[in-house]
């Protein structure tokens, strides 16, 4: 489309992308479909969006409006020009708190909106599971429904009006109007359309009454029910809501807001049989809860396997129920909630449930009144899909019958029969979600690469929808129509209404400008040509460096690992956790885990042309990935982009070699011993005027930061007989030099009652901040531990190294050599099961993560079990009741910033545990994402701006706001440098804090 591309680029419509990589990132939503868009535009203003759409119309190209792209039914993929509203069109245009209304642009994300509304005591109450990335444009597009829809209704009930750009280029206001339409201005382009719509509504009123299901959860088709005569709430916005971008492009959305929920009471109803739970739902809703959510046994069992959910389950699950219903009461008056909770107990008793009454059905209610536990339970519930999607095999839970809704009196029957349908087709599904409105989520497991499973999908869909029709339910109860449901509208609504839907579409959009082929004139839902795994889809042959054997596919499983991304978009959240720091700065699909995973998937399946994996476009896609490993933990399906990046870097290193910058980063452990012999020379770079600028041009290290200072008094375990002076701190000499530096570093170590520990001295602390190592030894020795300092077992005097710097530039074989050398040195300790403790999180945790993935030996695996961060070791000892540290108060507040890898490996809480060992300490955790320094990332001349911007997201402002005498604890070398450079504050390792607490002197 050269004409289209040229015009879009020259006529100023925002960011325009037509390359295959960018288009590929917009070819999927959270469904199983994949359709390449023609191009992508991210307009900066609504005007730009309107202009882009006008150009597309002129050029005869259709348009696909897009928000977060989290739809599950294929409504957000098309052979169109994709208009990404989420990047820039995300402003709140008006807020009338007193009138409880606001006006927003379509790209604003629900959580962002609710954060802005919270200080006013308000929220938009359609609380969908994807609230962290779903946009209001997408929610209105799909008529999205929240868990509390029983109380608040769907999106449709909470939108007051909308403005939309129509296919003819005019903008119209859709809102409440009188039945005779007299209040629509004569100049409005909507006047004629509205008249025609009402004619259709009147003509089809009987059919609508007969064929539209009477359940609350009906989002299928166009909302013709809004147009029938006799309604006193005629609102033309209702025809746009749920229209999936097929009628117009929404530009302003006026929302009805509600007061935020106060205290609530939750009763967790337990059932011994799933059928009993389903049958009970109809009686429980009579108590008027605001939500009744189902979690079944499979989900409970799966969640129990996940460390972060287990403690929550232990608090609210009693025995081994087949299903639980989470019944939530949320009236303004908590006494009323408690009264209803009591009634819930009575109702369950009346239904014959008792924990221990002889002859009763096993079951009962567990009360949950603690708001923190209530929130934790919601977390488990809303993670339901994610818990299931983490399965690694080729067959995956597939969404196509997953939000059918049936009247509550049929729920038990329906779920029972559908389970049998699954069994008949050799599959199974796990049930969860909105029992209150008869809309349960279930995804049978199918492998859509196989024709037989695609056939099973059709058979299941047809049988399921036939059942739903018989129950007078809705086949499209939450996630919309897209490609999955539209084909079945004729079966569910009848041909007459389908013709009326087509009439509505044609009245708005006769030439098919907006998202064609959705709701009306849709393709077959099982047309494999539209599938992500289309016929012929296969991985290219490729050699990989890390162990991917847990996944299927080529590259030793690399293909299966990248295919784990199901596009649910959790990596697009802007707050909470760490993932994904680069997206939080750029808001660009290229810079989010999902965009990277999609690009990799297309590359390793040959869809981006030859050599895509080693291409510059791929390097650009991964450039801002700081390898924070947050996705490894926070991505619901465990997409581990930091590891994947190593493969790409390795492939590029093989193809093109390393740049000087990469060499200087990667080979640091090899040249550091020489540099430490002439620190004055290397430090000239930051002393001589102009030297930094010159070095920037040659080495790629930014001149805007000083580099870590070289020194000659590095930490050197070989000099055990001549203890080095402990420099640079107040009170030097008042503490004895660590015994480990004076005495034994042999495996025998002292003997007697002492507990052994090996301290791994990493390259960064060894050469630049040896005080951290000294203090760690002091603390360990003060605790009575015998500290070993492992020495190389070869002839080289070069210190040991974990290989981290090599991995960061893709030199996997060098990293392997380093790690193998360290393994040999640690072997005697590993054999005795001595804990291996490290100070730099990225180094010591590498022993748990990458090292076993590049060295598949039992020794490497054993080390991964023994490797602990310093604070993890102490916290473990504390828990075992064996830690004896003579700590004194320090009299200063402590703020803690967690290293991303600590967070990724659940090792962060240990920092707080050990800080709390300091008597009377006042401690605060900084809610931070990645510090932005991320090893060498912050030193790159091309990445410094991004690095600082990441720091500014949360860490640096929090440090600046900290009291001047507060101690900032940051265990990562890079984090400490970022804090120094960005906020002018010195941060310390927790070992340094504890060492001071041993001496009970304030930290300077
Ligand atoms: C794990 C998971 C859980 C989910 N849970 C829920 C849930 O609890 N409840 C629920 O209802 N849904 C849920 N969904 C579905 C989906 O997240 C929601 O429908 C969400 O509202 C879609 O928002 P989005 O911004 O991603 O929209 P997109 O997918 O980007 O777009 C949705 C539709 O709106 C149209 N659209 C977008 N912007 C505009 C615009 N400016 N003008 C006109 N049309 C536009 C698009 O063309 C598309 O047809 C879930 C999905 C996933 C993956
Ligand atoms: S990378 Fe993970 S979190 Fe992001 S969309 Fe893919 S599966 Fe979801
Ligand atoms: S490793 Fe960090 S920066 Fe990279 S994709 Fe994952 S979350 Fe984003």
């Amino acid at each position: 489309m050269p004409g289209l591309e040229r015009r879009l680029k020259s006529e100023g419509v925002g960011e325009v992308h037509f390359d295959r990589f960018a288009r590929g990132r917009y070819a999927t939503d959270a469904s199983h479909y994949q359709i390449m868009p023609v191009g992508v535009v991210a307009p900066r203003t609504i005007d730009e969006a309107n202009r882009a759409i006008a150009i597309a119309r002129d050029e005869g190209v259709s348009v696909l409006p897009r928000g977060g792209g989290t739809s599950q039914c294929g409504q957000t993929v098309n052979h169109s020009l994709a208009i990404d509203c989420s990047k820039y069109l995300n402003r709140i245009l008006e807020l009338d708190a007193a009138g409880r209304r606001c006006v927003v642009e379509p790209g604003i994300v629900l959580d962002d909106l609710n954060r802005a509304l919270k200080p006013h005591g308000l929220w938009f109450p359609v609380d969908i599971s994807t609230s962290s990335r779903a946009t209001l444009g997408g929610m209105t597009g799909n008529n999205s429904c929240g868990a509390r829809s029983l109380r608040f209704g769907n999106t449709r009930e909470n939108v007051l009006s909308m403005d939309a750009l129509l296919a003819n280029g005019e903008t119209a206001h859709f809102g409440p109007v009188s039945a005779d339409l007299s209040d629509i201005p004569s100049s409005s382009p909507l006047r004629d359309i509205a008249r025609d719509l009402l004619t259709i509504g009147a003509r089809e009123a009987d059919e609508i009454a007969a064929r539209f299901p009477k359940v609350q959860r009906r989002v299928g088709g166009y909302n013709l029910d809004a147009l029938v005569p006799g309604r006193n709430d005629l609102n033309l916005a209702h025809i746009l809501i749920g229209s999936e971008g097929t009628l117009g492009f929404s530009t302003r959305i006026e929302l009805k807001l509600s007061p935020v929920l106060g205290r609530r009471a939750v009763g967790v109803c337990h059932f011994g049989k799933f059928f009993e739970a389903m049958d009970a739902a109809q009686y429980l809703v009579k108590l008027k809860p605001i939500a009744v959510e189902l979690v079944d046994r499979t989900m409970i069992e799966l969640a129990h396997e996940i460390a972060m959910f287990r403690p929550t389950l232990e608090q609210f699950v009693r025995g081994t129920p087949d299903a639980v219903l989470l019944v939530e009461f949320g009236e303004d008056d908590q006494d009323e909630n408690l009264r209803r909770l009591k009634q819930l107990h009575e109702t369950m008793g009346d239904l014959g449930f008792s924990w221990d009454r002889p002859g009763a059905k096993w079951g009962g209610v567990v009360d949950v009144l603690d708001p923190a536990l209530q929130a934790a339970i919601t977390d488990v519930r809303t993670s339901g899909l994610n818990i299931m999607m983490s399965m690694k095999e080729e067959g995956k839970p597939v969404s196509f019958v997953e939000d059918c809704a049936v009247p509550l009196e049929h729920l038990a029957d329906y779920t029972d029969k559908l389970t049998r349908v699954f069994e008949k087709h050799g599959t199974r599904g796990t049930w969860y979600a909105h029992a209150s409105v008869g809309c349960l989520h279930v995804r049978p497991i199918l492998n859509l690469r196989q024709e037989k499973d695609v056939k099973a999908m059709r058979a299941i869909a047809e049988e399921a929808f036939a059942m739903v029709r018989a129950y007078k339910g809705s086949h499209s109860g939450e996630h919309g129509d897209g490609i999955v449901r539209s084909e079945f509208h004729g079966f569910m609504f009848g041909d007459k209404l389908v013709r009326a839907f087509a009439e509505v579409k044609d009245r708005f959009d006769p030439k098919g400008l907006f998202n064609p082929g959705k709701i009306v004139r849709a393709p077959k839902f099982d047309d494999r040509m539209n599938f992500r795994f289309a016929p012929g889809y296969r991985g290219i042959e490729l050699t990989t460096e890390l162990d991917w054997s847990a996944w299927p596919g080529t590259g030793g499983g690399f293909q299966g690992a990248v295919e784990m991304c199901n596009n649910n978009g959790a990596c697009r959240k802007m707050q909470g956790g760490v993932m994904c720091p680069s997206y939080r700065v750029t808001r660009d699909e290229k810079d989010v885990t999902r965009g990277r995973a999609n690009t990799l998937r297309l590359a390793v399946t040959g869809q981006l042309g030859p050599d895509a994996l080693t291409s510059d476009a791929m390097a650009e896609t991964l450039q801002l990935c700081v390898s924070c490993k947050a996705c490894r933990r926070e991505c619901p399906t465990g997409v581990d982009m930091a590891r994947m990046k190593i493969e790409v870097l390795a492939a590029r290193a093989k193809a093109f070699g390393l740049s000087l910058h990469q060499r200087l980063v990667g080979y640091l452990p090899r040249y550091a011993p020489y540099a430490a012999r002439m620190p004055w020379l290397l430090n000239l770079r930051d002393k001589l005027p102009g030297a930094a600028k010159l070095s920037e041009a040659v080495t790629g290290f930014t001149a805007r930061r000083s580099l870590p200072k070289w020194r000659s008094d590095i930490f050197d375990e070989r000099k055990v007989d001549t203890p080095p002076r402990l420099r640079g701190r107040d009170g030097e000499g008042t503490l004895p030099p660590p015994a480990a530096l004076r005495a034994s570093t042999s495996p025998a170590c002292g003997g007697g009652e002492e507990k052994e520990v090996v301290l791994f001295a990493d390259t960064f602390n060894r050469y630049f901040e040896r005080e951290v190592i000294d203090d760690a030894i002091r603390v360990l020795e003060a605790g009575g531990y015998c500290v070993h300092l492992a020495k190389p077992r070869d002839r080289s005097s070069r210190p040991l190294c974990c290989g981290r710097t090599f991995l960061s530039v893709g030199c996997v074989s060098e990293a392997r050599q380093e790690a193998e050398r360290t393994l040999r040195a640690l072997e005697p300790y590993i054999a005795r099961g001595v804990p291996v403790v490290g100070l730099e999180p990225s180094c010591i945790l590498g022993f748990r993560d990458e090292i076993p993935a590049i060295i598949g030996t039992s020794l490497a695996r054993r080390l991964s079990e023994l490797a602990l961060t310093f604070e993890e070791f102490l916290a473990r000892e504390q828990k075992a009741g064996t830690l004896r540290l003579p700590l004194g108060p320090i009299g200063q507040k402590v703020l803690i910033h967690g290293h991303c890898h600590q967070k990724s490996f659940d090792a962060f809480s240990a920092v707080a545990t050990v800080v709390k060992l300091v008597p009377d300490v006042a401690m605060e955790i900084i809610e931070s994402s990645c510090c932005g320094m991320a090893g060498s990332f912050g030193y790159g001349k091309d990445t410094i701006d991004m690095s600082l911007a990441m720091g500014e997201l949360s860490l640096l402002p929090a440090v600046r706001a900290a009291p001047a005498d507060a101690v900032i604890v940051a265990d990562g070398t890079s984090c400490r440098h970022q804090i120094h450079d960005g906020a002018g504050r010195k941060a310390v390792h927790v070992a340094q804090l504890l060492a001071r607490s041993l001496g009970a002197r304030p930290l300077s």
Side-chain angles (χ1 to χ4, degrees):
M1 293 278 163
L4 178 70
E5 181 178 356
R6 191 172 15 83
R7 283 191 63 193
L8 289 170
K9 285 185 172 163
S10 65
E11 293 183 31
V13 297
E15 293 170 10
V16 178
H17 305 282
F18 272 72
D19 64 286
R20 236 160 143 182
F21 280 68
R23 288 191 294 127
R25 288 190 276 268
Y26 286 82
T28 38
D29 54 11
S31 68
H32 56 266
Y33 299 105
Q34 175 179 309
I35 303 180
M36 265 292 180
V38 170
V40 179
V41 174
R44 290 192 188 82
T45 60
I46 293 291
D47 258 8
E48 286 188 345
N50 290 352
R51 276 209 301 281
I53 293 170
I55 294 170
R57 188 183 49 237
D58 278 3
E59 297 289 333
V61 173
S62 64
V63 162
L64 170 67
R66 179 170 162 124
T70 66
S71 291
Q72 294 200 20
C73 303
Q75 58 267 57
T76 322
V77 291
N78 220 327
H79 301 284
S80 309
L81 179 69
I83 312 278
D84 180 349
C85 303
S86 68
K87 188 164 184 188
Y88 298 110
L89 307 181
N90 45 29
R91 286 159 280 235
I92 297 176
L93 301 172
E94 286 171 33
L95 170 59
D96 170 8
R100 292 187 186 165
R101 54 171 282 282
C102 71
V103 179
V104 297
E105 288 185 332
I108 191 166
V109 167
L110 177 59
D111 274 0
D112 296 345
L113 172 66
N114 281 335
R115 263 192 293 275
L117 295 175
K118 200 168 176 199
H120 304 278
L122 297 171
W123 73 316
F124 184 68
V126 186
D127 52 345
I128 61 177
S129 304
T130 40
S131 60
S132 60
R133 62 274 195 195
T135 62
L136 266 298
M139 288 178 68
T140 42
N142 287 349
N143 191 9
S144 295
C145 319
R148 297 183 178 98
S149 62
L150 194 59
R151 166 62 50 89
F152 295 104
N154 304 341
T155 301
R156 174 175 167 182
E157 283 75 41
N158 293 279
V159 169
L160 298 170
S161 72
M162 293 168 73
D163 286 4
L165 179 80
L166 303 179
N168 65 5
E170 291 181 288
T171 298
H173 180 72
F174 293 71
V177 285
S178 57
D180 62 3
L181 305 177
S182 56
D183 40 5
I184 301 183
S186 54
S187 58
S188 168
L190 201 51
R191 217 179 147 93
D192 292 346
I193 297 179
R195 193 178 317 109
D196 294 349
L197 289 176
L198 292 191
T199 306
I200 296 171
R203 192 189 70 213
E204 302 299 344
D206 291 345
E207 196 69 4
I208 292 165
R211 302 300 296 254
F212 264 52
K214 305 282 179 299
V215 292
Q216 187 222 32
R217 291 303 193 92
R218 192 276 313 154
V219 302
Y222 293 123
N223 291 328
L224 297 184
D225 59 329
L227 305 171
V228 295
R231 292 189 72 119
N232 54 8
D233 61 347
L234 180 57
N235 184 333
L236 294 176
H238 291 183
I239 199 70
L240 283 188
I241 295 172
S243 66
E244 302 185 358
T246 60
L247 301 183
F249 178 83
S250 57
T251 53
R252 282 166 64 96
I253 307 168
E254 185 188 12
L255 305 172
K256 183 172 93 182
L257 306 174
S258 296
V260 289
L261 289 172
R263 295 212 55 180
R264 277 154 280 158
V266 172
V268 183
C269 298
H270 287 57
F271 300 89
K273 294 200 176 86
F274 181 80
F275 188 90
E276 291 168 351
M278 295 298 86
D279 191 45
Q282 55 189 312
Y283 305 106
L284 306 187
V285 294
K286 292 191 175 143
L287 301 172
K288 299 205 181 320
I290 59 171
V292 181
E293 296 281 294
L294 164 73
V295 181
D296 80 353
R297 185 170 50 142
T298 315
M299 190 78 73
I300 293 172
E301 283 170 358
L302 285 171
H304 207 264
E305 296 302 306
I306 300 173
M308 99 182 168
F309 293 137
R310 200 174 306 128
T312 308
L313 289 168
E314 280 163 5
Q315 289 180 73
F316 79 90
V317 179
R318 182 168 162 176
T320 49
D322 209 26
V324 297
L325 290 176
L326 310 168
V327 184
E328 185 182 38
F329 299 103
E331 303 307 310
D332 294 342
D333 175 10
Q334 179 71 344
D335 287 343
E336 176 58 27
N337 295 331
L338 296 177
R339 256 192 305 281
R340 294 203 196 166
L341 190 57
K342 198 159 160 273
Q343 286 170 3
L344 181 67
H345 282 264
E346 289 159 10
T347 306
M348 284 291 283
D350 293 348
L351 291 172
F353 292 97
S354 165
W355 301 116
D356 39 30
R357 206 176 60 230
K361 293 179 273 189
W362 181 88
V365 186
V366 171
D367 294 350
V368 180
L369 299 176
D370 170 20
L373 182 57
Q374 290 172 353
I377 293 174
T378 304
D379 243 18
V380 174
R381 207 310 273 145
T382 51
S383 304
L385 175 61
N386 307 335
I387 292 168
M388 275 193 312
M389 292 306 283
S390 52
M391 52 181 59
K392 291 184 168 132
E393 53 265 40
E394 280 194 342
K396 295 273 191 290
V398 182
S399 162
F400 60 104
V401 290
E402 91 150 3
D403 55 350
C404 297
V406 297
L408 280 188
E409 63 270 26
H410 301 304
L411 195 58
D413 233 26
Y414 162 69
T415 49
D416 194 46
K417 283 188 182 147
L418 191 54
T419 299
R420 274 187 263 135
V421 170
F422 293 158
E423 282 165 8
K424 187 170 93 187
H425 292 285
T427 183
R428 66 201 145 87
T430 288
W431 297 88
Y432 64 98
H434 322 302
S436 54
V437 283
C439 180
L440 291 182
H441 293 332
V442 64
R443 291 183 166 201
I445 296 161
L446 296 167
N447 181 358
L448 293 188
R449 293 159 223 250
Q450 294 177 1
E451 186 61 33
K452 80 171 181 31
D453 278 20
V454 177
K455 286 206 170 102
M457 178 167 81
R458 171 162 289 278
I460 292 170
E462 287 176 352
E463 288 178 55
F465 296 153
M467 260 192 282
V468 170
R469 192 173 77 164
Y471 291 127
K472 298 197 182 314
S474 148
H475 72 311
S476 183
E478 180 169 293
H479 297 151
D481 297 342
I483 304 175
V484 170
R485 307 278 159 63
S486 302
E487 177 197 335
F488 296 96
H489 287 347
F491 180 72
M492 300 303 292
F493 292 109
D495 292 343
K496 202 156 179 273
L497 287 183
V498 167
R499 278 197 298 277
F501 291 157
E503 237 180 292
V504 170
K505 167 75 178 172
D506 294 343
R507 185 62 190 83
F508 273 93
D509 183 20
K511 294 191 178 145
L513 175 66
F514 290 115
N515 201 9
K518 312 291 155 56
I519 302 183
V520 297
R521 303 184 188 106
K524 291 279 178 210
F525 94 115
D526 52 355
D527 179 347
R528 293 183 66 199
M529 293 314 290
N530 291 329
F531 279 19
R532 197 182 292 198
F533 305 128
Y537 177 97
R538 65 180 59 86
I540 54 174
E541 280 315 311
L542 68 152
T543 315
T544 48
E545 297 283 348
L546 283 79
D547 177 11
W548 301 99
S549 59
W551 292 270
T554 59
F558 184 60
Q559 180 196 348
V562 299
E563 284 172 355
M564 288 301 291
C565 174
N566 62 13
N567 273 42
N568 70 62
C571 42
R572 289 169 64 98
K573 67 182 172 186
M574 291 301 284
Q575 281 204 0
V578 177
M579 166 177 81
C580 168
S582 49
Y583 176 74
R584 290 184 188 191
V585 173
T586 67
R587 295 189 89 127
D588 196 309
E589 187 67 26
K590 170 169 69 63
D591 301 320
V592 72
T593 322
R594 176 175 80 177
R596 294 176 178 129
N598 274 323
T599 315
L600 281 171
R601 183 178 60 79
L602 294 170
V604 301
T605 52
Q607 298 181 69
L608 295 176
D611 302 325
L613 202 63
T614 53
S615 64
D616 288 350
M618 181 61 77
E620 212 185 296
T621 306
L622 288 167
Q623 187 192 21
L624 301 186
C625 168
V626 285
S627 299
C628 66
K629 300 194 188 182
C631 43
R632 178 189 166 278
R633 178 187 151 87
E634 293 172 34
C635 160
T637 63
V639 169
D640 187 348
M641 192 50 63
R643 265 203 203 190
M644 293 171 186
K645 184 173 178 178
I646 293 174
E647 289 294 357
V648 174
L649 289 169
R652 278 178 64 87
K654 255 190 221 149
F656 311 116
L658 296 183
S659 66
L660 176 61
H661 180 78
Q662 286 177 312
R663 278 184 186 283
L664 288 169
V665 170
Y667 283 79
L668 172 75
R670 300 262 171 96
Y671 65 77
Y674 306 102
R677 283 184 209 154
M678 42 186 176
W680 53 271
L681 181 63
L682 281 102
N683 291 336
L684 282 181
R685 183 256 191 208
D686 289 330
K687 283 196 178 141
L688 288 183
K693 199 75 207 149
L694 189 68
S695 108
E696 176 180 287
V698 180
T699 65
F701 285 100
T702 175
R704 287 157 59 198
R705 278 190 204 273
S706 58
L707 293 177
K709 289 245 164 333
W710 292 98
R711 57 200 281 181
S712 53
D713 63 337
I714 62 165
F715 180 82
D716 186 351
E717 52 279 270
R718 289 167 310 143
K719 296 183 184 163
V720 289
D721 297 330
T722 50
R725 276 164 44 80
L726 303 170
R727 288 168 184 260
R729 297 184 321 209
D730 293 340
E732 184 180 321
T734 55
L735 289 168
L741 296 180
R742 287 182 274 113
S744 168
T745 59
S746 80
C749 195
E753 294 302 297
E754 281 178 316
K755 263 197 181 175
E756 297 176 276
V757 51
V758 190
L759 187 70
F760 176 72
D762 61 274
T763 302
F764 306 104
N765 284 310
R766 173 188 300 279
Y767 289 101
F768 304 115
E769 289 183 273
R770 64 158 302 161
E771 295 77 16
V772 174
I773 306 177
D774 295 337
D775 278 345
I777 295 171
R778 280 211 181 88
V779 172
L780 291 169
E781 289 182 347
Y785 298 96
C786 163
V787 183
H788 297 290
L789 300 162
K791 284 181 184 170
R793 294 176 84 190
D794 53 23
R795 287 209 196 116
S796 163
S797 61
R798 194 169 57 78
L800 299 172
C801 159
C802 65
R804 157 74 47 221
T805 60
F806 289 108
L807 286 176
S808 74
V809 294
C811 285
V812 179
S813 55
E814 307 285 358
R816 196 177 285 121
Q817 273 174 26
E818 294 296 337
E820 277 171 348
R821 186 164 172 260
T822 299
L823 271 175
R824 275 196 299 281
L826 291 173
E827 194 169 356
Y829 307 104
I830 295 173
R832 292 211 306 280
V834 180
V836 178
V837 171
L839 297 161
E840 169 55 38
S842 60
C843 294
I844 192 70
L845 294 172
F847 287 131
R848 274 198 217 156
D849 188 14
E850 292 98 341
I851 302 307
I854 56 173
I855 303 173
T857 62
S858 56
L859 193 63
R861 277 194 295 278
R862 185 75 185 110
L863 174 59
S864 73
E865 291 157 12
L866 293 170
L868 294 170
T869 62
F870 173 78
E871 55 279 358
E872 276 183 308
F873 173 72
L874 293 183
R876 204 175 70 170
E877 294 289 291
Q878 154 84 356
K879 194 168 175 206
T882 52
L883 185 66
R884 306 272 177 273
L885 274 180
L887 300 174
I890 58 166
Q892 287 165 280
K893 184 173 180 183
V894 177
L895 267 82
I896 310 176
H897 160 70
H899 186 287
C900 302
H901 294 187
Q902 284 174 323
K903 292 176 185 162
S904 176
F905 286 86
D906 280 326
F908 180 46
S909 61
V911 187
T913 306
V914 302
V915 169
K916 279 193 224 147
L917 297 174
V918 175
D920 307 325
V921 74
M923 185 198 80
E924 196 183 307
I925 289 175
I926 301 175
E927 281 299 323
S928 47
S929 175
C930 177
C931 73
M933 186 62 113
S936 64
F937 183 83
Y939 290 107
K941 74 175 164 46
D942 300 327
T943 43
I944 166 115
D945 286 325
M946 183 56 53
S947 161
L948 290 171
M950 283 184 197
E952 291 300 340
L953 283 173
S954 46
L955 173 62
L956 296 176
V959 172
R960 280 187 212 112
D965 67 339
V967 181
I968 315 291
V969 166
D971 285 352
T973 306
S974 314
C975 315
R976 291 195 291 275
H977 283 216
Q978 180 77 312
I979 290 168
H980 173 266
D981 291 358
R985 294 282 293 263
K986 179 173 163 51
V988 296
H989 192 282
V990 72
Q992 294 174 283
L993 178 88
L994 294 187
R996 292 301 168 141
S997 172
L998 284 178
R1001 283 163 298 120
L1003 276 162
S1004 53

